[in-house]
Amino acid sequence: MSDLQFGLDTFGDVPTDDAGRPVSHAAAIRQVVDEAVLADQLGVDVIALGEHHRPEYSVSTPETVLAGIATRTSRIRLASGVTVLSSDDPVRVFQRFATVDALSHGRAEVILGRGSFTESFPLFGYDLADYDVLFEEKIELFAKLLDETPVTWSGTVRAPLVDADVFPKTESGHLSTWVGVGGSPQSVVRTARYGLPLMLAVIGGRPTRFGPYIDLYRRAADQLGTTAHPVGMHSPGFVADTDDEAKEIFWPHYRVIRDRIGALRGWPPIRRDEFDFEVEHGSLYIGAPETVARKIATTVGGLDVGRFDLIYTAGAQPISARLRAVELYGSKVIPMVKDLLS
């Protein structure tokens, strides 16, 4: 476990100030940059920003914010979490992240996904009926672009390319690229087929239920003759000075955002006992540093993953509490997990 990496993920949730007033989207973006700078200073390995197009979230173009973070940090890796490739253009995605890679001296990572939210499809003129074919064809093209040589490609969702050279190139010749998967076996096998690292979105239920997906990824890579990289996972959570404080900060904002999204998907309102069960037995990593560290260590050890990212924001949490959560994660949780696994 000596190579285990730790990250922080956010969608740029719009926080409140200490008086309880929501800040502007612009201020929320600047707040994410400040939190990334703090994470960099504390030795967190990765900051990952998710793409969303909803009023609750401020980050719609992760790579733009990552470019800003690049200029204020020195070591932390800069990832999307995820880039919705289905409603974007693979060539432009590669160019934008290659640019972030240049600004950060090789620290850029793109995590490609189909997207669990669908707002980007009508916003950019894509038909949800093409949900599967859009991702299948675009990841095929993106995999070719990663070779950083002239590309010839044709499909049904964009214009063909004939011996097209794409710039800028990365200095290393390699843009770190993952595929984010929420639990589809077909998506796991596809990731293995392209020889890309797998990032599992483990956001509910017992984490151990994702063990078969990790086994499938490794078996598929072996059978396809590709590389099975260390698997990553990301899960929601929050760190405060005590268990009770962490739950009381997290719960009211989590409930609002969970029920708002759930209403669109036909889910019943979440109950407090369901939340408490997820904290105790499921995929919410909430509590004091010791509590969160023990739970992460159990999950990481049980699933044998190589990277754990904590989604540390959920709704309109206070700025001061978010900064404290980042501080505790970097200064206490990560060292504790390493000690527990050593």
Side-chain angles (χ1 to χ4, degrees):
M1 291 293 178
S2 59
D3 295 329
L4 180 63
Q5 292 189 319
F6 296 89
L8 285 167
D9 288 11
T10 180
F11 304 141
D13 306 59
V14 176
T16 58
D17 61 22
D18 286 341
R21 296 175 300 235
V23 305
S24 66
H25 284 96
I29 291 169
R30 293 190 291 269
Q31 180 60 34
V32 168
V33 175
D34 289 343
E35 289 159 2
V37 170
L38 177 60
D40 180 61
Q41 295 167 349
L42 293 167
V44 178
D45 296 305
V46 186
I47 183 75
L49 309 184
E51 173 191 345
H52 281 290
H53 305 272
R54 296 176 54 85
E56 304 94 342
Y57 307 120
S58 65
V59 178
S60 61
T61 57
E63 60 275 21
T64 309
V65 185
L66 293 171
I69 294 171
T71 65
R72 293 185 54 193
T73 56
S74 61
R75 49 163 305 282
I76 196 166
R77 295 195 62 79
L78 310 169
S80 60
V82 300
T83 292
V84 184
L85 186 64
S86 305
S87 57
D88 211 326
D89 183 80
V91 174
R92 294 297 284 150
V93 171
F94 179 87
Q95 290 177 321
R96 296 194 300 260
F97 277 89
T99 301
V100 175
D101 202 61
L103 291 170
S104 64
H105 296 274
R107 291 184 281 135
E109 295 186 358
V110 56
I111 304 179
L112 305 173
R114 297 197 295 176
S116 60
F117 291 76
T118 59
E119 288 84 2
S120 64
F121 289 81
L123 188 63
F124 300 123
Y126 291 97
D127 190 339
L128 276 170
D130 298 327
Y131 185 82
D132 290 322
V133 69
L134 282 165
F135 190 74
E136 187 66 60
E137 291 193 7
K138 290 184 177 186
I139 194 171
E140 178 188 47
L141 173 54
F142 199 88
K144 290 180 177 291
L145 294 168
L146 290 175
D147 292 334
E148 301 196 27
T149 57
V151 171
T152 296
W153 177 92
S154 64
T156 64
V157 298
R158 78 175 308 280
L161 298 174
V162 179
D163 204 28
D165 216 357
V166 175
F167 304 99
K169 310 291 186 185
T170 62
E171 283 186 318
S172 68
H174 172 72
L175 176 62
S176 180
T177 302
W178 300 63
V179 179
V181 174
S184 161
Q186 294 83 358
S187 296
V188 171
V189 173
R190 181 196 295 115
T191 304
R193 186 167 77 243
Y194 289 111
L196 296 172
L198 175 70
M199 178 64 70
L200 289 169
V202 185
I203 59 174
R206 295 183 185 272
T208 51
R209 67 192 178 94
F210 281 82
Y213 292 101
I214 297 173
D215 293 340
L216 174 62
Y217 171 70
R218 292 169 178 162
R219 290 199 316 271
D222 181 62
Q223 293 173 15
L224 293 165
T226 58
T227 300
H229 302 271
V231 173
M233 62 174 289
H234 77 174
S235 295
F238 197 76
V239 192
D241 290 288
T242 68
D243 289 350
D244 287 343
E245 182 186 11
K247 285 187 282 190
E248 294 315 308
I249 291 173
F250 191 89
W251 160 247
H253 307 293
Y254 174 76
R255 176 177 58 81
V256 169
I257 200 77
R258 162 60 173 74
D259 286 350
R260 187 176 298 161
I261 294 166
L264 300 173
R265 301 183 179 185
W267 302 341
I270 189 170
R271 304 189 310 270
R272 178 62 190 251
D273 64 309
E274 294 175 311
F275 168 76
D276 290 336
F277 182 88
E278 281 291 328
V279 172
E280 293 299 320
H281 308 289
S283 295
L284 288 179
Y285 296 76
I286 297 173
E290 298 85 353
T291 302
V292 174
R294 284 196 301 270
K295 189 169 184 179
I296 292 174
T298 299
T299 297
V300 166
L303 291 177
D304 187 25
V305 297
R307 174 166 147 189
F308 181 91
D309 289 0
L310 184 75
I311 309 170
Y312 70 99
T313 58
Q317 296 157 327
I319 287 173
S320 57
R322 279 175 39 164
L323 285 167
R324 182 63 173 158
V326 172
E327 178 187 359
L328 291 172
Y329 182 73
S331 65
K332 294 191 175 183
V333 173
I334 292 175
M336 286 179 184
V337 176
K338 290 180 177 178
D339 286 345
L340 288 167
L341 292 173
S342 62

